[in-house]
Amino acid sequence: MIRRPSPPQMTVDIIVAALFGLIFASIELQTTDGIVPVFVLMGMTGALAIRRLSPLLSLGVAWLAVFLQLTNGMEAVPSNLAILAVLYATGCYGEAWVRWAGLASAIGGGVIAATYMSFFYLANGVDVTRLADLSGAVLSSLIGSVAAIFVFTLAWTIGLLVRTSQAAKAEGVRRLQAQQEQRLAQQSVVVEQERNRIARDMHDVVAHSLAVVIAQADGARYAQKGNPEAMDATLATIAETARGALGDVRLLLAELRHRQGEGPQPLLTDLDALFEQMRGAGLDLRIVTTGEEQPLPTGHQISIYRILQEALTNALRHGNRFEPVSVDMAWQGAGVVVRVDNPVASVPGRSDGFGHGVPGMQERAALVGGWLTAERTQNGRFIVTAYVPIPHTAPAPVQANR
């Protein structure tokens, strides 16, 4: 029953009600006598002041003032206009049953007001013995009832429409927030999935490297020629340490892998097979490689392969297959810039060209010290640009030339 309007709203309501009371007091109290008009004006002013705080209480105060007005034979006064604001408030701010009470008040109040005014004038100068005068009074009561009901119901309906509009806006805001939360959740899932895949890749890379170290250390133990005792102890320590590190790495990364499948990891030498696979799926690839290729660690090669794989997959799913897709690999002194430029398909309802793999690609690039950008241009193209540095020579992230 009691709402909590904001302090500015309460301040405005009190100021408006005070001005309303002052203005109509100067009009009504000069033309009427007695204490009843004062109470009627105070009731209407009070109902106006609390209409947003409690629409039901405001409606009750207004009815009390009207009852006092009718039982004392007063005619309609200008302050009765506050009833319109009260009915508006019941439609806009009231609960379900308060809104129905407001509608009933609009209809019943219209009939009562018109009938009362008809009999008021009938009792003040109309000859009830004349059928014409009596018929005129009844007709004016009917017409007045229809007009009053229309005006009162219109005020209530406007309040209800405003309430519906505000509810629609609030629902739109909640829907937008839910969509944003869902998008963030999807991105978190994608990043987590990509991290799991990275864990698998790095597990295989580290496992291979440590296996080589172990094999070399074990071989050196048998191949060494000088100082067999010292060399043997040193190499035994290396082998034992590497074995322990390999076991620890397997245990730690197994927690991230979530039982993902085994298999050899792709390197830069596997890019030709990837390009042929995408061509077979329907992409018209235009491959351009510039600069002198430089050796990269296995983890960096896997990142480049996965970024290209995801970017081309997005182009296949969301792009226009009837236009060529450009793949540029520019080898620089500090690293390699990979750029995939594809046209976006004109699909109704698609707001942008971002596939769900973009966060994963950004995670891939960041974990090797690089960066990745993805954007949809105004001319309907989607461009993915990634920079993968050669270790210890990576420059600060900058935007690549478009």
Side-chain angles (χ1 to χ4, degrees):
M1 294 178 59
I2 303 297
R3 300 176 65 252
R4 293 184 178 181
S6 64
Q9 289 177 332
M10 283 300 303
T11 302
V12 170
D13 290 347
I14 292 174
I15 292 176
V16 169
L19 293 176
F20 177 90
L22 291 174
I23 292 173
F24 287 103
S26 62
I27 298 174
E28 297 176 9
L29 299 183
Q30 292 180 358
T31 57
T32 56
D33 297 325
I35 194 65
V36 173
V38 176
F39 284 114
V40 171
L41 177 61
M42 291 176 59
M44 291 298 172
T45 303
L48 185 64
I50 62 174
R51 68 187 188 279
R52 277 197 283 200
L53 179 65
S54 177
L56 179 62
L57 183 59
S58 175
L59 184 64
V61 172
W63 268 113
L64 183 61
V66 169
F67 177 78
L68 186 64
Q69 181 178 353
L70 297 180
T71 54
N72 284 272
M74 286 180 57
E75 61 179 324
V77 290
S79 61
N80 291 145
L81 291 174
I83 296 174
L84 298 179
V86 173
L87 293 175
Y88 169 89
T90 60
C92 185
Y93 307 113
E95 300 177 359
W97 67 279
V98 176
R99 294 196 296 273
W100 286 112
L103 178 60
S105 298
I107 297 173
V111 174
I112 292 174
T115 304
Y116 174 80
M117 292 308 300
S118 297
F119 281 97
F120 180 84
Y121 291 116
L122 187 65
N124 291 274
V126 177
D127 188 357
V128 295
T129 60
R130 297 179 58 186
L131 183 60
D133 291 348
L134 185 60
S135 300
V138 173
L139 180 61
S140 64
S141 176
L142 292 175
I143 296 176
S145 296
V146 173
I149 290 173
F150 174 78
V151 173
F152 290 162
T153 306
L154 179 62
W156 178 85
T157 303
I158 292 175
L160 187 63
L161 291 176
V162 172
R163 178 192 185 93
T164 304
S165 175
Q166 292 174 345
K169 290 180 181 179
E171 180 62 26
V173 172
R174 286 193 295 269
R175 188 182 301 111
L176 179 60
Q177 291 175 345
Q179 290 175 349
Q180 291 175 343
E181 292 175 358
Q182 182 182 16
R183 188 178 299 112
L184 291 176
Q186 290 175 342
Q187 290 182 354
S188 298
V189 170
V190 170
V191 170
E192 183 63 24
Q193 291 175 344
E194 193 64 23
R195 285 178 176 175
N196 292 337
R197 206 161 84 170
I198 291 169
R200 183 192 67 188
D201 295 345
M202 295 309 298
H203 175 277
D204 294 336
V205 171
V206 174
H208 172 74
S209 300
L210 290 180
V212 171
V213 170
I214 293 170
Q216 289 179 345
D218 283 336
R221 293 174 59 193
Y222 299 102
Q224 51 86 21
K225 298 298 184 182
N227 195 356
E229 293 79 8
M231 183 62 69
D232 184 78
T234 301
L235 295 179
T237 301
I238 294 174
E240 190 64 29
T241 301
R243 286 193 184 94
L246 178 58
D248 292 340
V249 167
R250 282 176 174 167
L251 288 174
L252 291 174
L253 295 183
E255 297 296 326
L256 298 175
R257 294 176 62 181
H258 299 292
R259 297 180 299 276
Q260 295 192 22
E262 302 290 342
Q265 300 307 314
L267 303 176
L268 293 184
T269 54
D270 299 307
L271 285 179
D272 291 338
L274 173 65
F275 295 152
E276 289 303 320
Q277 180 184 7
M278 290 298 173
R279 288 191 176 101
L283 284 183
D284 181 10
L285 294 182
R286 307 293 173 87
I287 313 297
V288 177
T289 302
T290 58
E292 182 179 353
E293 183 174 345
Q294 303 180 45
L296 284 175
T298 304
H300 290 57
Q301 295 187 46
I302 295 174
S303 293
I304 294 175
Y305 182 94
R306 295 301 189 194
I307 289 171
L308 282 171
Q309 183 183 43
E310 186 63 41
L312 293 176
T313 300
N314 281 343
L316 185 64
R317 291 177 180 174
H318 309 296
N320 185 352
R321 301 187 186 183
F322 300 101
E323 295 185 25
V325 177
S326 299
V327 179
D328 298 327
M329 294 185 63
W331 289 90
Q332 303 171 354
V336 57
V337 176
V338 179
R339 186 172 184 266
V340 178
D341 183 348
N342 67 274
V344 179
S346 300
V347 179
R350 184 177 296 281
S351 60
D352 55 50
F354 286 87
H356 288 175
V358 172
M361 291 189 291
Q362 292 174 334
E363 185 75 11
R364 281 279 181 181
L367 286 178
V368 294
W371 50 265
L372 183 141
T373 61
E375 63 177 359
R376 180 172 179 173
T377 62
Q378 295 182 350
N379 59 352
R381 303 191 69 83
F382 190 69
I383 300 175
V384 174
T385 306
Y387 176 82
V388 175
I390 297 174
H392 310 301
T393 58
V398 295
Q399 292 288 340
N401 293 330
R402 294 290 188 262

